[in-house]
Amino acid sequence: MTCLRCGAPLVEGARFCGVCGASLPPAVASAKEIALDADGRGSGLGYRYEIVHQPAFALALVHLEPEQSILAEAGAMVAMSANVELQSQMKGGLLGALKRAVAGESAFISTFTARGGPGEVALAPGAPGDIAAIEMREQTFLVQSSSYLAGDASLTVDTRWGGARSFFGGEGLFVLQVQGSGLLLVSSYGAIHRKKLGPNDRYVVDTGHLVAWEGTMQYTLRKAAAGFFRSFVSGEGIVAEFTGPGELLIQTRNLAALAGLLRPFFPSQSSRGGSVFDFGS
């Protein structure tokens, strides 16, 4: 467990950093958990951040000290200071890029570095919704691939097999495994709901509503209802059944479900080759 301001090791249960004197929130002094900033503001090693316009159209503002960097998903940048240098690269080499592409993520990661002075980077996801700032402290989280927005350059992000059954639900085969200490920004479609589970508590979540969960939690993927037909007519696909203890973040809306509702209004090709609008009539 380390201080987010200076990076010094912390004593278990400490309320202040013994090196820089930074005040530590109660979550730091307690057991491992998802440490979310209630006010959407915080600081790390070489940066400050704040999240504005929550919860429907959240925007993350990251203030970098000179020569400090932050990594973000390709296409997440909204704006930045003129002195911020942007570099795109294949994180993890060719193999890492292929794994990210299979997971539905961009093969490239954007690195933002303030050159010659402080700089600011504004980041946002493609869909409307919220952004949560997780202060990781030598922890491991699993993140739905579409929910990863940005993270500290010191964090290790890898692609992990999410379970074969999710293939039949059409909801992705892979999740991202994030490890280490530092800032992790995750996004949601809709608001973010926190759910804590006690030891041996069981909880079922539609995979399309998952954002992130603690890497120590046990989970299995299965059909929503017993039998293929019952699961199909229920309107639910594949669900994840979690077993506590642990905590998970759930998004209140499902982008795939919205796409399904809008599909009848999309242009479609007629049998004669022309483009027509099908309103489901």
Side-chain angles (χ1 to χ4, degrees), residues 102-105 143-147 160-176 205-210 213 219-224 231 235-240 251 253-258:
V102 171
E105 295 288 288
V143 181
Q144 185 78 283
S145 59
S146 59
S147 296
R160 176 173 166 178
W161 181 256
R165 288 191 177 185
S166 60
F167 173 81
F168 299 103
E171 291 165 339
L173 280 166
F174 298 91
V175 294
L176 298 181
V205 184
D206 184 287
T207 54
H209 287 268
L210 286 171
W213 59 97
Y219 73 97
T220 57
L221 296 175
R222 62 174 176 81
K223 296 186 293 293
S231 184
E236 304 295 336
I238 299 300
V239 297
Q251 60 184 10
R253 296 294 182 268
N254 184 340
L255 193 57
L258 175 64

Side-chain angles (χ1 to χ4, degrees), residues 2 9 26 41 78 90 94 119 129 137 159 199 224-225 242 266:
T2 59
R41 299 170 182 267
V78 174
M90 290 190 296
L94 181 59
R137 308 177 194 281
T159 304
F242 291 87
F266 292 160

